Short mmCIF file of all heavy atoms in Angstrom, two decimals:
data_model
loop_
_atom_site.label_atom_id
_atom_site.label_comp_id
_atom_site.label_asym_id
_atom_site.label_seq_id
_atom_site.Cartn_x
_atom_site.Cartn_y
_atom_site.Cartn_z
N ALA A 64 128.83 204.72 48.57
CA ALA A 64 127.59 204.03 47.97
C ALA A 64 127.89 202.69 47.42
O ALA A 64 127.20 201.70 47.56
CB ALA A 64 127.00 204.96 46.84
N ALA A 65 129.20 202.58 46.70
CA ALA A 65 129.59 201.29 46.26
C ALA A 65 129.74 200.32 47.32
O ALA A 65 129.47 199.12 47.06
CB ALA A 65 130.86 201.51 45.35
N SER A 66 130.45 200.75 48.38
CA SER A 66 130.63 199.91 49.66
C SER A 66 129.25 199.45 50.13
O SER A 66 129.24 198.32 50.47
CB SER A 66 131.34 200.77 50.71
OG SER A 66 132.64 201.15 50.21
N TYR A 67 128.32 200.28 50.23
CA TYR A 67 126.91 199.93 50.65
C TYR A 67 126.38 198.80 49.86
O TYR A 67 125.93 197.70 50.35
CB TYR A 67 126.06 201.15 50.71
CG TYR A 67 124.58 200.77 50.89
CD1 TYR A 67 124.06 200.70 52.12
CD2 TYR A 67 123.78 200.63 49.79
CE1 TYR A 67 122.69 200.31 52.26
CE2 TYR A 67 122.44 200.24 49.98
CZ TYR A 67 121.91 200.18 51.27
OH TYR A 67 120.54 199.76 51.32
N TYR A 68 126.41 198.96 48.58
CA TYR A 68 125.87 197.92 47.66
C TYR A 68 126.62 196.66 47.73
O TYR A 68 125.97 195.52 47.75
CB TYR A 68 125.78 198.44 46.21
CG TYR A 68 124.64 199.39 46.01
CD1 TYR A 68 125.05 200.75 45.37
CD2 TYR A 68 123.45 199.20 46.17
CE1 TYR A 68 123.98 201.69 45.13
CE2 TYR A 68 122.38 200.10 45.95
CZ TYR A 68 122.74 201.29 45.49
OH TYR A 68 121.65 202.33 45.14
N ALA A 69 127.91 196.64 47.78
CA ALA A 69 128.76 195.53 47.81
C ALA A 69 128.37 194.68 49.17
O ALA A 69 128.14 193.52 49.11
CB ALA A 69 130.24 195.78 47.82
N ALA A 70 128.42 195.35 50.30
CA ALA A 70 128.03 194.73 51.53
C ALA A 70 126.71 194.22 51.49
O ALA A 70 126.36 193.15 52.13
CB ALA A 70 128.25 195.82 52.63
N TYR A 71 125.80 194.89 50.98
CA TYR A 71 124.37 194.51 50.88
C TYR A 71 124.13 193.20 50.02
O TYR A 71 123.57 192.18 50.60
CB TYR A 71 123.52 195.56 50.22
CG TYR A 71 122.05 195.16 50.09
CD1 TYR A 71 121.09 195.06 51.05
CD2 TYR A 71 121.58 194.80 48.76
CE1 TYR A 71 119.76 194.69 50.85
CE2 TYR A 71 120.27 194.32 48.51
CZ TYR A 71 119.38 194.34 49.63
OH TYR A 71 118.13 193.99 49.37
N VAL A 72 124.82 193.09 48.91
CA VAL A 72 124.87 191.85 48.09
C VAL A 72 125.46 190.71 48.83
O VAL A 72 124.92 189.61 48.71
CB VAL A 72 125.52 192.14 46.80
CG1 VAL A 72 125.63 190.85 45.90
CG2 VAL A 72 124.78 193.09 45.99
N ILE A 73 126.52 190.92 49.49
CA ILE A 73 127.36 189.88 50.23
C ILE A 73 126.38 189.19 51.31
O ILE A 73 126.23 188.14 51.38
CB ILE A 73 128.62 190.39 50.79
CG1 ILE A 73 129.67 190.64 49.83
CG2 ILE A 73 129.15 189.32 51.89
CD1 ILE A 73 130.88 191.23 50.28
N GLU A 74 125.74 190.19 52.07
CA GLU A 74 124.94 189.82 53.22
C GLU A 74 123.79 189.03 52.73
O GLU A 74 123.26 188.15 53.32
CB GLU A 74 124.63 191.00 54.11
CG GLU A 74 123.60 190.71 55.29
CD GLU A 74 124.37 189.56 56.20
OE1 GLU A 74 125.52 189.67 56.40
OE2 GLU A 74 123.66 188.74 56.69
N LEU A 75 123.13 189.60 51.65
CA LEU A 75 121.83 188.95 51.14
C LEU A 75 122.10 187.68 50.63
O LEU A 75 121.38 186.71 50.92
CB LEU A 75 121.26 189.89 49.98
CG LEU A 75 119.88 189.48 49.54
CD1 LEU A 75 118.79 189.52 50.68
CD2 LEU A 75 119.45 190.41 48.31
N SER A 76 123.16 187.45 49.85
CA SER A 76 123.42 186.15 49.30
C SER A 76 123.93 185.07 50.32
O SER A 76 123.54 183.96 50.23
CB SER A 76 124.70 186.22 48.29
OG SER A 76 125.97 186.90 48.91
N MET A 77 124.70 185.52 51.38
CA MET A 77 124.95 184.61 52.45
C MET A 77 123.73 184.28 53.37
O MET A 77 123.57 183.13 53.74
CB MET A 77 126.04 185.23 53.39
CG MET A 77 127.41 185.44 52.74
SD MET A 77 128.72 185.88 53.77
CE MET A 77 128.95 184.41 54.79
N SER A 78 122.80 185.10 53.35
CA SER A 78 121.49 184.83 54.04
C SER A 78 120.78 183.84 53.39
O SER A 78 120.11 183.00 54.06
CB SER A 78 120.69 186.27 54.26
OG SER A 78 121.42 187.12 55.05
N VAL A 79 120.75 183.94 52.06
CA VAL A 79 120.07 182.90 51.24
C VAL A 79 120.64 181.48 51.63
O VAL A 79 119.92 180.54 51.83
CB VAL A 79 120.15 183.07 49.80
CG1 VAL A 79 119.53 182.01 48.95
CG2 VAL A 79 119.33 184.49 49.49
N ASP A 80 121.95 181.44 51.53
CA ASP A 80 122.52 180.15 51.92
C ASP A 80 122.19 179.64 53.32
O ASP A 80 121.90 178.40 53.57
CB ASP A 80 124.01 180.23 51.83
CG ASP A 80 124.79 178.93 52.08
OD1 ASP A 80 124.38 177.95 51.23
OD2 ASP A 80 125.72 178.85 52.72
N ASN A 81 122.03 180.65 54.30
CA ASN A 81 121.72 180.24 55.69
C ASN A 81 120.26 179.74 55.89
O ASN A 81 119.89 179.08 56.77
CB ASN A 81 121.75 181.40 56.56
CG ASN A 81 123.34 181.87 56.69
OD1 ASN A 81 124.25 180.94 56.37
ND2 ASN A 81 123.61 183.04 57.08
N LEU A 82 119.41 180.01 54.81
CA LEU A 82 117.95 179.63 54.81
C LEU A 82 117.86 178.02 54.93
O LEU A 82 117.05 177.42 55.34
CB LEU A 82 117.19 180.14 53.70
CG LEU A 82 117.01 181.62 53.82
CD1 LEU A 82 116.11 182.07 52.55
CD2 LEU A 82 116.33 182.12 55.04
N PHE A 83 118.98 177.47 54.24
CA PHE A 83 118.99 175.99 54.24
C PHE A 83 118.92 175.48 55.74
O PHE A 83 118.15 174.45 56.05
CB PHE A 83 120.28 175.46 53.69
CG PHE A 83 120.27 175.42 52.26
CD1 PHE A 83 120.98 176.42 51.50
CD2 PHE A 83 119.76 174.49 51.37
CE1 PHE A 83 120.95 176.49 50.12
CE2 PHE A 83 119.73 174.51 50.01
CZ PHE A 83 120.36 175.54 49.41
N LEU A 84 119.71 176.02 56.57
CA LEU A 84 119.73 175.64 58.02
C LEU A 84 118.52 175.91 58.74
O LEU A 84 117.95 175.13 59.63
CB LEU A 84 120.88 176.21 58.70
CG LEU A 84 121.24 175.81 60.21
CD1 LEU A 84 121.45 174.23 60.20
CD2 LEU A 84 122.44 176.45 60.66
N PHE A 85 117.78 177.09 58.43
CA PHE A 85 116.55 177.42 59.02
C PHE A 85 115.51 176.32 58.72
O PHE A 85 114.71 176.02 59.60
CB PHE A 85 116.06 178.76 58.47
CG PHE A 85 116.89 180.08 59.11
CD1 PHE A 85 116.49 181.26 58.66
CD2 PHE A 85 117.92 179.71 59.94
CE1 PHE A 85 117.21 182.38 59.15
CE2 PHE A 85 118.57 180.87 60.46
CZ PHE A 85 118.36 182.12 60.00
N ILE A 86 115.53 175.82 57.54
CA ILE A 86 114.48 174.81 57.15
C ILE A 86 114.76 173.52 58.02
O ILE A 86 113.77 173.09 58.44
CB ILE A 86 114.70 174.57 55.60
CG1 ILE A 86 114.24 175.67 54.77
CG2 ILE A 86 113.88 173.21 55.34
CD1 ILE A 86 114.50 175.53 53.24
N ILE A 87 116.04 173.25 58.18
CA ILE A 87 116.35 172.01 59.06
C ILE A 87 115.95 172.32 60.46
O ILE A 87 115.40 171.29 61.08
CB ILE A 87 117.83 171.74 58.88
CG1 ILE A 87 118.23 171.42 57.36
CG2 ILE A 87 118.28 170.65 59.84
CD1 ILE A 87 119.70 171.23 57.25
N ILE A 88 116.17 173.44 60.95
CA ILE A 88 115.81 173.72 62.32
C ILE A 88 114.36 173.68 62.57
O ILE A 88 113.84 173.05 63.51
CB ILE A 88 116.41 175.17 62.79
CG1 ILE A 88 117.88 175.18 62.82
CG2 ILE A 88 115.76 175.63 64.08
CD1 ILE A 88 118.39 176.54 62.92
N PHE A 89 113.54 174.19 61.79
CA PHE A 89 112.27 174.14 61.82
C PHE A 89 111.65 172.63 61.80
O PHE A 89 110.61 172.31 62.48
CB PHE A 89 111.29 175.03 60.79
CG PHE A 89 111.44 176.46 60.99
CD1 PHE A 89 111.86 177.39 59.97
CD2 PHE A 89 111.14 177.01 62.19
CE1 PHE A 89 111.91 178.76 60.10
CE2 PHE A 89 111.11 178.40 62.44
CZ PHE A 89 111.47 179.17 61.37
N ALA A 90 112.20 171.96 60.93
CA ALA A 90 111.84 170.52 60.80
C ALA A 90 112.13 169.84 62.18
O ALA A 90 111.49 169.00 62.69
CB ALA A 90 112.58 169.96 59.65
N ALA A 91 113.48 170.06 62.70
CA ALA A 91 113.96 169.42 64.03
C ALA A 91 112.92 169.72 65.07
O ALA A 91 112.71 168.70 65.92
CB ALA A 91 115.21 169.85 64.32
N PHE A 92 112.41 170.91 65.24
CA PHE A 92 111.49 171.23 66.20
C PHE A 92 109.95 171.04 65.86
O PHE A 92 109.13 171.36 66.71
CB PHE A 92 111.74 172.71 66.74
CG PHE A 92 112.93 172.88 67.53
CD1 PHE A 92 114.12 173.46 66.82
CD2 PHE A 92 113.02 172.64 68.84
CE1 PHE A 92 115.21 173.55 67.60
CE2 PHE A 92 114.15 172.85 69.58
CZ PHE A 92 115.27 173.30 68.89
N MET A 93 109.79 170.61 64.65
CA MET A 93 108.40 170.31 64.10
C MET A 93 107.51 171.58 64.21
O MET A 93 106.32 171.44 64.65
CB MET A 93 107.78 169.05 64.80
CG MET A 93 108.57 167.84 64.62
SD MET A 93 107.82 166.39 65.43
CE MET A 93 108.30 166.74 67.13
N ILE A 94 108.08 172.71 63.82
CA ILE A 94 107.23 174.02 63.88
C ILE A 94 106.54 173.95 62.56
O ILE A 94 106.94 173.96 61.54
CB ILE A 94 108.29 175.11 63.96
CG1 ILE A 94 109.16 175.04 65.10
CG2 ILE A 94 107.34 176.47 64.00
CD1 ILE A 94 108.47 174.92 66.48
N PRO A 95 105.15 174.06 62.75
CA PRO A 95 104.28 174.20 61.50
C PRO A 95 104.48 175.39 60.76
O PRO A 95 104.90 176.42 61.31
CB PRO A 95 102.81 174.13 62.01
CG PRO A 95 102.96 174.53 63.40
CD PRO A 95 104.35 174.15 63.97
N ASP A 96 104.07 175.33 59.52
CA ASP A 96 104.34 176.46 58.56
C ASP A 96 103.64 177.80 59.06
O ASP A 96 104.29 178.92 58.93
CB ASP A 96 103.72 176.27 57.18
CG ASP A 96 104.52 175.20 56.50
OD1 ASP A 96 105.67 174.89 56.85
OD2 ASP A 96 104.02 174.61 55.33
N GLU A 97 102.52 177.68 59.67
CA GLU A 97 101.75 178.79 60.05
C GLU A 97 102.35 179.54 61.26
O GLU A 97 101.98 180.73 61.56
CB GLU A 97 100.29 178.49 60.46
CG GLU A 97 100.16 177.44 61.44
CD GLU A 97 99.98 175.94 60.92
OE1 GLU A 97 100.44 175.81 59.75
OE2 GLU A 97 99.39 175.26 61.66
N ASP A 98 103.30 178.83 61.98
CA ASP A 98 104.05 179.48 63.17
C ASP A 98 105.50 179.87 62.89
O ASP A 98 106.07 180.64 63.67
CB ASP A 98 103.98 178.47 64.36
CG ASP A 98 102.49 178.27 64.86
OD1 ASP A 98 101.73 179.20 64.74
OD2 ASP A 98 102.24 177.27 65.37
N GLN A 99 106.02 179.64 61.64
CA GLN A 99 107.44 179.92 61.52
C GLN A 99 107.64 181.34 61.28
O GLN A 99 108.71 181.84 61.61
CB GLN A 99 107.80 179.07 60.07
CG GLN A 99 107.78 177.62 60.27
CD GLN A 99 108.16 176.93 59.01
OE1 GLN A 99 108.34 177.55 58.04
NE2 GLN A 99 108.04 175.55 59.01
N HIS A 100 106.63 182.08 60.75
CA HIS A 100 106.89 183.42 60.59
C HIS A 100 107.10 184.35 61.94
O HIS A 100 107.87 185.27 61.98
CB HIS A 100 105.64 184.23 59.88
CG HIS A 100 104.46 184.13 60.59
ND1 HIS A 100 104.02 185.18 61.59
CD2 HIS A 100 103.41 183.20 60.65
CE1 HIS A 100 102.85 184.81 62.04
NE2 HIS A 100 102.46 183.61 61.62
N ARG A 101 106.38 183.79 63.09
CA ARG A 101 106.64 184.43 64.28
C ARG A 101 108.03 184.18 64.92
O ARG A 101 108.64 185.14 65.38
CB ARG A 101 105.56 183.88 65.33
CG ARG A 101 105.59 184.65 66.65
CD ARG A 101 104.32 184.38 67.38
NE ARG A 101 104.27 185.17 68.62
CZ ARG A 101 104.32 184.87 69.87
NH1 ARG A 101 104.50 183.57 70.02
NH2 ARG A 101 104.26 185.64 70.80
N VAL A 102 108.55 183.04 64.72
CA VAL A 102 109.88 182.72 65.20
C VAL A 102 110.86 183.47 64.36
O VAL A 102 111.83 184.09 64.91
CB VAL A 102 110.19 181.15 64.92
CG1 VAL A 102 111.73 180.96 65.29
CG2 VAL A 102 109.35 180.27 65.82
N LEU A 103 110.74 183.60 63.07
CA LEU A 103 111.57 184.40 62.18
C LEU A 103 111.58 185.81 62.56
O LEU A 103 112.68 186.49 62.52
CB LEU A 103 111.27 184.16 60.75
CG LEU A 103 111.67 182.81 60.15
CD1 LEU A 103 111.05 182.70 58.64
CD2 LEU A 103 113.22 182.62 60.10
N PHE A 104 110.41 186.31 62.82
CA PHE A 104 110.25 187.87 63.14
C PHE A 104 111.11 188.22 64.37
O PHE A 104 111.95 189.10 64.27
CB PHE A 104 108.89 188.19 63.29
CG PHE A 104 108.74 189.70 63.79
CD1 PHE A 104 108.73 190.71 62.88
CD2 PHE A 104 108.49 190.05 65.15
CE1 PHE A 104 108.64 192.06 63.23
CE2 PHE A 104 108.45 191.36 65.53
CZ PHE A 104 108.44 192.37 64.54
N TRP A 105 110.96 187.38 65.46
CA TRP A 105 111.66 187.85 66.66
C TRP A 105 113.17 187.42 66.57
O TRP A 105 114.03 188.01 67.13
CB TRP A 105 111.05 187.04 67.85
CG TRP A 105 109.74 187.67 68.21
CD1 TRP A 105 108.53 187.14 68.02
CD2 TRP A 105 109.58 189.00 68.68
NE1 TRP A 105 107.61 188.05 68.43
CE2 TRP A 105 108.09 189.11 68.92
CE3 TRP A 105 110.34 190.01 69.13
CZ2 TRP A 105 107.53 190.23 69.37
CZ3 TRP A 105 109.82 191.21 69.60
CH2 TRP A 105 108.47 191.36 69.69
N GLY A 106 113.56 186.37 65.66
CA GLY A 106 114.93 186.06 65.42
C GLY A 106 115.65 187.14 64.82
O GLY A 106 116.76 187.50 65.17
N ILE A 107 114.88 187.76 63.77
CA ILE A 107 115.60 188.83 63.06
C ILE A 107 115.69 190.11 63.97
O ILE A 107 116.60 190.82 63.81
CB ILE A 107 114.69 189.24 61.73
CG1 ILE A 107 114.83 188.07 60.74
CG2 ILE A 107 115.01 190.52 61.23
CD1 ILE A 107 113.92 188.17 59.63
N MET A 108 114.73 190.35 64.85
CA MET A 108 114.82 191.50 65.78
C MET A 108 116.08 191.41 66.66
O MET A 108 116.74 192.38 66.86
CB MET A 108 113.54 191.59 66.55
CG MET A 108 112.37 192.06 65.84
SD MET A 108 112.42 193.62 64.96
CE MET A 108 112.43 194.71 66.45
N GLY A 109 116.26 190.15 67.06
CA GLY A 109 117.47 189.89 67.88
C GLY A 109 118.71 190.06 67.03
O GLY A 109 119.76 190.65 67.55
N ALA A 110 118.74 189.63 65.86
CA ALA A 110 119.83 189.71 64.91
C ALA A 110 120.32 191.17 64.66
O ALA A 110 121.49 191.50 64.60
CB ALA A 110 119.62 189.04 63.56
N ILE A 111 119.17 192.00 64.52
CA ILE A 111 119.49 193.46 64.27
C ILE A 111 120.28 194.06 65.46
O ILE A 111 121.15 194.89 65.23
CB ILE A 111 118.20 194.20 64.05
CG1 ILE A 111 117.51 193.79 62.68
CG2 ILE A 111 118.24 195.73 64.18
CD1 ILE A 111 116.10 194.14 62.53
N PHE A 112 119.85 193.69 66.66
CA PHE A 112 120.60 194.28 67.86
C PHE A 112 121.99 193.71 67.95
O PHE A 112 123.00 194.45 68.10
CB PHE A 112 119.78 193.79 69.07
CG PHE A 112 120.59 194.13 70.37
CD1 PHE A 112 120.57 195.44 70.92
CD2 PHE A 112 121.09 193.10 71.13
CE1 PHE A 112 121.24 195.74 72.10
CE2 PHE A 112 121.77 193.41 72.28
CZ PHE A 112 121.87 194.70 72.70
N PHE A 113 122.25 192.37 67.80
CA PHE A 113 123.56 191.83 67.99
C PHE A 113 124.40 192.15 66.90
O PHE A 113 125.71 192.29 67.08
CB PHE A 113 123.43 190.32 68.19
CG PHE A 113 122.94 189.81 69.47
CD1 PHE A 113 121.57 189.13 69.55
CD2 PHE A 113 123.54 189.97 70.62
CE1 PHE A 113 121.08 188.81 70.68
CE2 PHE A 113 123.05 189.56 71.87
CZ PHE A 113 121.85 189.01 71.91
N ARG A 114 123.91 192.27 65.75
CA ARG A 114 124.96 192.70 64.52
C ARG A 114 125.48 194.09 64.82
O ARG A 114 126.50 194.38 64.37
CB ARG A 114 124.22 192.47 63.27
CG ARG A 114 124.08 191.14 62.78
CD ARG A 114 123.06 190.89 61.69
NE ARG A 114 122.96 189.63 61.36
CZ ARG A 114 123.53 188.82 60.31
NH1 ARG A 114 124.45 189.52 59.55
NH2 ARG A 114 123.36 187.53 60.18
N ALA A 115 124.66 194.91 65.40
CA ALA A 115 125.21 196.27 65.79
C ALA A 115 126.43 196.18 66.61
O ALA A 115 127.50 196.87 66.38
CB ALA A 115 124.16 197.18 66.39
N LEU A 116 126.29 195.30 67.64
CA LEU A 116 127.48 195.02 68.57
C LEU A 116 128.68 194.59 67.86
O LEU A 116 129.81 195.12 67.96
CB LEU A 116 127.10 194.17 69.68
CG LEU A 116 125.93 194.70 70.57
CD1 LEU A 116 125.64 193.59 71.62
CD2 LEU A 116 126.26 196.02 71.11
N PHE A 117 128.47 193.63 66.93
CA PHE A 117 129.62 192.92 66.27
C PHE A 117 130.24 193.95 65.23
O PHE A 117 131.47 193.92 65.15
CB PHE A 117 128.99 191.73 65.37
CG PHE A 117 128.81 190.49 66.15
CD1 PHE A 117 128.81 190.47 67.55
CD2 PHE A 117 128.57 189.33 65.49
CE1 PHE A 117 128.69 189.31 68.26
CE2 PHE A 117 128.35 188.17 66.24
CZ PHE A 117 128.54 188.23 67.62
N ILE A 118 129.40 194.67 64.60
CA ILE A 118 129.93 195.62 63.51
C ILE A 118 130.71 196.70 64.20
O ILE A 118 131.88 197.05 63.81
CB ILE A 118 128.89 196.29 62.62
CG1 ILE A 118 128.16 195.28 61.80
CG2 ILE A 118 129.37 197.43 61.89
CD1 ILE A 118 126.96 195.61 61.11
N MET A 119 130.29 197.30 65.38
CA MET A 119 130.93 198.25 66.00
C MET A 119 132.29 197.74 66.68
O MET A 119 133.31 198.35 66.53
CB MET A 119 130.10 198.91 67.18
CG MET A 119 129.07 199.83 66.63
SD MET A 119 128.07 200.64 67.91
CE MET A 119 127.16 199.35 68.72
N ALA A 120 132.25 196.47 67.16
CA ALA A 120 133.43 195.91 67.79
C ALA A 120 134.47 195.72 66.66
O ALA A 120 135.61 195.93 66.86
CB ALA A 120 133.04 194.63 68.44
N GLY A 121 133.97 195.03 65.63
CA GLY A 121 134.90 194.75 64.45
C GLY A 121 135.60 196.03 63.79
O GLY A 121 136.67 196.01 63.54
N ALA A 122 134.85 196.99 63.53
CA ALA A 122 135.27 198.23 62.95
C ALA A 122 136.27 198.91 64.02
O ALA A 122 137.36 199.42 63.62
CB ALA A 122 134.21 199.22 62.73
N GLU A 123 136.08 198.79 65.23
CA GLU A 123 137.01 199.40 66.27
C GLU A 123 138.30 198.70 66.29
O GLU A 123 139.37 199.26 66.41
CB GLU A 123 136.28 199.42 67.64
CG GLU A 123 137.17 200.09 68.72
CD GLU A 123 137.35 201.58 68.46
OE1 GLU A 123 136.64 202.26 67.78
OE2 GLU A 123 138.50 202.07 68.91
N LEU A 124 138.19 197.34 66.25
CA LEU A 124 139.37 196.51 66.17
C LEU A 124 140.29 196.86 64.98
O LEU A 124 141.57 196.91 65.09
CB LEU A 124 139.07 195.02 66.13
CG LEU A 124 138.48 194.45 67.54
CD1 LEU A 124 138.00 193.04 67.24
CD2 LEU A 124 139.68 194.50 68.55
N LEU A 125 139.65 196.98 63.75
CA LEU A 125 140.43 197.26 62.68
C LEU A 125 141.06 198.65 62.65
O LEU A 125 142.07 198.85 62.13
CB LEU A 125 139.44 197.09 61.36
CG LEU A 125 138.98 195.74 60.99
CD1 LEU A 125 138.01 195.80 59.76
CD2 LEU A 125 140.29 194.94 60.54
N HIS A 126 140.28 199.60 63.30
CA HIS A 126 140.85 200.90 63.31
C HIS A 126 142.03 201.04 64.34
O HIS A 126 142.93 201.74 64.22
CB HIS A 126 139.81 201.98 63.83
CG HIS A 126 138.88 202.33 62.83
ND1 HIS A 126 139.28 202.89 61.53
CD2 HIS A 126 137.53 202.26 62.69
CE1 HIS A 126 138.25 203.23 60.80
NE2 HIS A 126 137.17 202.78 61.32
N THR A 127 141.89 200.19 65.33
CA THR A 127 142.92 200.20 66.47
C THR A 127 144.16 199.36 66.24
O THR A 127 145.33 199.71 66.44
CB THR A 127 142.31 199.70 67.71
OG1 THR A 127 141.11 200.54 68.10
CG2 THR A 127 143.24 199.97 69.04
N PHE A 128 143.94 198.16 65.65
CA PHE A 128 144.92 197.25 65.41
C PHE A 128 145.03 196.86 64.02
O PHE A 128 144.23 196.29 63.36
CB PHE A 128 144.88 195.96 66.19
CG PHE A 128 144.59 196.12 67.69
CD1 PHE A 128 143.31 196.03 68.25
CD2 PHE A 128 145.67 196.40 68.52
CE1 PHE A 128 143.17 196.22 69.66
CE2 PHE A 128 145.50 196.63 69.93
CZ PHE A 128 144.24 196.53 70.37
N ASP A 129 146.15 197.30 63.34
CA ASP A 129 146.34 197.14 61.92
C ASP A 129 146.41 195.55 61.58
O ASP A 129 145.94 195.14 60.52
CB ASP A 129 147.71 197.77 61.36
CG ASP A 129 147.42 199.38 61.43
OD1 ASP A 129 146.40 199.71 61.36
OD2 ASP A 129 148.47 200.04 61.45
N TRP A 130 147.06 194.84 62.48
CA TRP A 130 147.22 193.40 62.16
C TRP A 130 145.89 192.57 62.23
O TRP A 130 145.94 191.45 61.83
CB TRP A 130 148.19 192.75 63.21
CG TRP A 130 147.80 193.07 64.68
CD1 TRP A 130 148.28 194.04 65.52
CD2 TRP A 130 146.87 192.28 65.57
NE1 TRP A 130 147.72 193.99 66.73
CE2 TRP A 130 146.89 192.96 66.75
CE3 TRP A 130 146.18 191.14 65.31
CZ2 TRP A 130 146.10 192.50 67.81
CZ3 TRP A 130 145.35 190.70 66.36
CH2 TRP A 130 145.28 191.38 67.66
#
Side-chain angles (χ1 to χ4, degrees):
S66 298
Y67 166 88
Y68 284 126
Y71 174 76
V72 173
I73 289 173
E74 181 60 36
L75 189 62
S76 57
M77 292 187 72
S78 295
V79 171
D80 187 51
N81 294 338
L82 293 182
F83 283 101
L84 186 55
F85 287 179
I86 292 172
I87 296 172
I88 292 172
F89 284 132
F92 287 98
M93 295 181 289
I94 306 298
D96 290 346
E97 58 267 23
D98 293 328
Q99 292 175 5
H100 65 90
R101 187 162 187 250
V102 176
L103 286 173
F104 176 80
W105 289 110
I107 288 172
M108 292 300 291
I111 289 171
F112 171 75
F113 287 113
R114 281 167 187 261
L116 299 180
F117 279 13
I118 290 171
M119 287 188 289
E123 185 61 29
L124 285 173
L125 288 175
H126 282 304
T127 306
F128 305 105
D129 292 338
W130 53 266

